[in-house]
Amino acid sequence: MENLIGVLVGAPLLGALILLVGGRALDRLGHWLGIVFATTSFAVGCVLFADMVGKDAEERALHDHLFSWVPVEGFQADVAFQLDQLSMTFVLLITGVGTLIHFYSVGYMEHDERRRRFFGYLNLFLAAMLVLVLADNYLLLYVGWEGVGLASYLLIGFWQHKPSAATAAKKAFLVNRVGDVGLSIAIMLMFTTFGTFAFSEVLPDAGSASEGQLTAIGLMLLLAACGKSAQVPLQSWLGDAMEGPTPVSALIHAATMVTAGVYLITRSGEIFNGAPAAQTAVVTVGAVTLVFGAIVGCAKDDIKKALAGSTMSQIGYMIMAAGLGPIGYVFAIMHLVTHGFFKAGLFLGAGSVMHGMNDEVDMRKYGGLRKYMPITFVTFGLGYLAIIGFPGLSGFFSKDKIIEAAFAKGGTEGWILGSVALLGAAITAFYMTRVMLLTFFGEKRWAGAPDPQTTPDVEPADGHPAVGAAPHPHESPLSMTVPMILLAFGSVFAGLLFTVNDTFLNWLEPVTHHEHGDSPISAGVVTGCTVTAMVVGVTIAWLMYGRSPVPAVAPRGSLLTRAARRDLLQDDFNHVAFVQTGSYLTRGLVYLDHKVVDGMANGTAAFIGGVSSRMRRLQNGYARSYAVSMFGGTAVLVAATLLMRAVA
Amino acid sequence: MNPVNYLYLSALLFTIGAAGVLVRRNAIIVFMCVELMLNACNLAFVTFSRIHGNLDGQIIAFFTMVVAAAEVVVGLAIILMIFRVRHSASVDDANLMKL
């Protein structure tokens, strides 16, 4: 069984290699090859899962040592995989959702001549993400971490002919890099503290380090998590990352890559348990991002950016739950999995809407689409109900548990976190209802088609409508709708499945060591509050966007709305705080370099040059003047000798 | 006679020679002045030898004469060649080796 872990990672890696090296010869069947490799990985994951379920809880972890990477005395870096319940959960999510999105991409990228390359990148992403969650030490995790960053860069910038996409890719890469620095420092600190970076040695041994050391490591890990999971203050890349093709947004920026930070914090639980200050930082980051993302999501008219704000906010929930310690880890991962289903479904739904609407992303130019795209409407609607926490659907169970755990943190902190989480739930309901109403309900607002009967329903000859032509909404092909339907099933039933008999809790318990927190208010009251918050959010959204007509051009809006449209000034802040400061600094350094460093070198040269051009005049070529200096010199020497003798 | 007087004479001859080297332009005269300085030194050596009562100074004077003879051979040859090429024996005319 251990050897299968290598296949799990190797299949998509081989796929990426073949697709990217194979060249144009593979253009025609490249996407099917990509799907085969992704599906292989998923199938192997299922086999391993079945095997794992059959064993006792304590014996489930598998370990596969491939080779020694850097075998040096005192520094042992191995390429070794570890498959325990936590990794297994991620493996199934990554390969499962990943495979569905591979299928979806076949239809979505149909008209793109670089489709083969796209599938190569998708496979590369799967491989990197699997390395990240399967690594048995932090150094190999770092390899996967960087691989994920690379794949996301390539995929965001996939339409590199668009300057905005190229810029977004660079931005994502740079912001991620800031977080990566945090992870590398954390690994170095770990090495100096524990002398190793293997999970099996660092984590059980965490108690032996001082609290200060653990806090330092924890804060650096948090910085890393902020970068990859788009948390405040490194959140600015996620919105722009929507420049990538929609399947990429669904796979990377909703279901898998952004969850890497949550994985990192949960995996390093023992370190955070010993560092309360770092835990406080984690919950603060989570709570701030939760509200931040939600507010941004409320103001965006671009459907994908609204969903991106929502992703940020939901990951905020997970990070907050992970920061709560042993009472929250399980629920962080549970929300992560349910979120993986419904957010991937929502993004694929958004992609389907865009596919039918000539790649229009402005929700104010949608409206009334439910008649034209029934399957998209139903699957998107189920994802919507799941994310707002409609009772019975998956988001309800996982989010409710997090809010309960937040209250159970105890003290003032618990009340603050719980209230913030409830507020977040209300805002989530508001913005998701807004997306739903703007897209599928109300009057039709797209160009020149209020009455579908008079619009000529003719496909252009090449099957791909010209950009700028009046859209004629249609349902997407089967390859796109089937993954959406499957994900909708996940959005509906995952939560119930996980919660009945505490299945998910018992499954993860051996890895994350759950503690039941005592909430100051009963679970029933929390659930009541959550549902109330949801109803309030939905009602307000309905009053604003359902009952009254929506203007096709966005109104000016309040100060907060305008700030939220600009992502709550995150880019402006970064521009003032880092870009401008940095450019002033570099300009100052350039000035210093020119004036002081170059000045010294040039000054010395000029001095020597000046002196020697004056000295040159002594070399006048007249033998008699040389004789004078010779006599003069001799006279001086003789005089000096005599003087010295007289003094001595 | 007081031997110190020879030293005064030697210094006088040396000064005349040095002044000649510095002020005269004709290479032959300059050369003769150099010889004068050399012989002023010889006189000083011999005088000191006499004053101190040993022969070291006189031996050195012989060496100086030998060196001076060799120098005259080489020096006159150079001056002759310069005169042939440049039709002048002025030391100021031979000033090509300057920047």
Side-chain angles (χ1 to χ4, degrees), chain A residues 616 619-624 626-628 631, chain B residues 18 22-25 37 92 94-95 98-99:
Chain A
R616 194 175 65 172
Q619 306 286 329
N620 54 11
Y622 292 114
R624 293 183 302 143
Y626 299 156
V628 169
F631 279 124
Chain B
L22 293 184
V23 301
R24 297 306 294 262
R25 288 195 189 120
M37 285 158 70
D92 286 0
N95 62 354
K98 68 174 179 186
L99 276 169

Side-chain angles (χ1 to χ4, degrees), chain A residues 62-103:
Chain A
L62 290 178
H63 200 267
D64 183 23
H65 184 273
L66 285 187
F67 59 92
S68 275
W69 183 12
V70 187
V72 175
E73 182 74 36
F75 181 95
Q76 198 68 35
D78 291 328
V79 174
F81 295 125
Q82 167 192 319
L83 184 71
D84 58 9
Q85 289 90 326
L86 180 60
S87 301
M88 191 74 237
T89 312
F90 271 89
V91 165
L92 289 181
L93 178 71
I94 295 162
T95 55
V97 175
T99 306
L100 287 181
I101 288 172
H102 272 73
F103 276 105

Side-chain angles (χ1 to χ4, degrees), chain B residues 64-85:
Chain B
T64 313
M65 279 179 210
V66 173
V67 170
E71 180 230 333
V72 166
V73 172
V74 177
L76 275 179
I78 291 172
I79 291 169
L80 211 62
M81 291 309 294
I82 288 177
F83 184 79
R84 277 198 190 154
V85 174

